[in-house]
Amino acid sequence: MKILIAYSSKTGNTRKLAEALHLALPNADLCPMGSVPNLEQYDMVFAGFWVEAGNACQDAIKCLKRLGGKPVALFATLGAYPDSRHAADSLAAAAKEIPNGKVVDSFICQGAIDPNMIEWMEKLPKEDENAPDDSRRQLWKDAATHPDDNDLQAVSDWAVAALEKQQALV
Ligand SMILES: Cc1cc2nc3c(=O)[nH]c(=O)nc-3n(C[C@H](O)[C@H](O)[C@H](O)COP(=O)(O)O)c2cc1C
């Protein structure tokens, strides 16, 4: 089974997951979503993105739209907690971008938020809906150490299980 691991990462969090996946699935091809080769040759795609405004980031959406009909395993990082409604909704929104999508499984974990974005949000007026409060600042603090070694182990284990799940279907 020929496998592609394609990912989009602005500040490196999702790239770390993609690289851990590649160690777990060494025969897979690894590439950034901006330079995905001919997809015809692949039997399964692990598609990784960072969450942007509650969906996959923009260049990941472009790539997801090309994955129609293929078995896809989604992996992602986001600032919010991985067991939050927002995390589940973001994965669901990304899955919907794949025409006739066949999502085999999905994985999501926290990823440190760009300090420039934190600085920008700290400057927002108090009445702005994105202005931080104590719980938001705690979230940023919790996100800052992710993805950590546990996340990388978890995404590797998940990838092996997702591949086995797909292989059992064919
Ligand atoms: C412009 C922008 C929008 C973001 N939107 C969200 C969001 O809607 N929800 C969320 O939980 N995190 C959001 N984040 C946080 C990123 O998803 C998170 O930090 C991610 O791990 C970045 O991954 P990367 O290092 O691979 O680029 C956003 C970050 C940026 C820069």
Side-chain angles (χ1 to χ4, degrees):
M1 187 176 263
K2 202 156 160 51
I3 297 162
L4 174 68
I5 303 167
Y7 67 93
S8 175
S9 184
K10 196 174 169 203
T11 59
N13 299 328
T14 315
R15 181 167 43 76
K16 285 185 192 161
L17 297 191
E19 288 170 354
L21 280 186
H22 197 212
L23 287 176
L25 308 174
N27 293 327
D29 290 343
L30 173 71
C31 80
M33 278 180 168
S35 49
V36 166
N38 177 8
L39 283 164
E40 287 303 307
Q41 58 187 311
Y42 295 104
D43 304 303
M44 180 174 184
V45 180
F46 286 79
F49 57 87
W50 54 279
V51 171
E52 180 176 20
N55 197 342
C57 54
Q58 283 301 313
D59 55 335
I61 289 178
K62 276 189 217 143
C63 180
L64 293 172
K65 288 193 184 303
R66 294 171 56 199
L67 298 180
K70 281 211 189 285
V72 178
L74 294 175
F75 63 98
T77 64
L78 84 172
Y81 296 114
D83 56 357
S84 62
R85 179 71 191 262
H86 180 64
D89 287 350
S90 302
L91 282 172
K96 275 197 193 146
E97 302 290 351
I98 310 171
N100 303 313
K102 290 188 205 163
V103 176
V104 178
D105 214 336
S106 54
F107 175 94
I108 196 160
C109 72
Q110 265 188 309
I113 295 157
D114 186 344
N116 292 326
M117 186 156 169
I118 291 182
E119 198 183 318
W120 174 75
M121 285 191 281
E122 284 290 7
K123 286 185 190 151
L124 291 171
K126 276 201 178 87
E127 56 279 11
D128 189 292
E129 59 170 326
N130 292 311
D133 56 11
D134 287 349
S135 66
R136 184 69 72 92
R137 290 193 184 93
Q138 184 61 48
L139 179 75
W140 295 341
K141 208 173 151 194
D142 291 339
T145 55
H146 292 273
D148 60 17
D149 287 349
N150 287 337
D151 297 321
L152 300 183
Q153 185 60 54
V155 80
S156 302
D157 294 346
W158 165 80
V160 171
L163 177 58
E164 281 172 4
K165 194 168 162 184
Q166 178 56 27
Q167 279 170 332
L169 292 175
V170 291

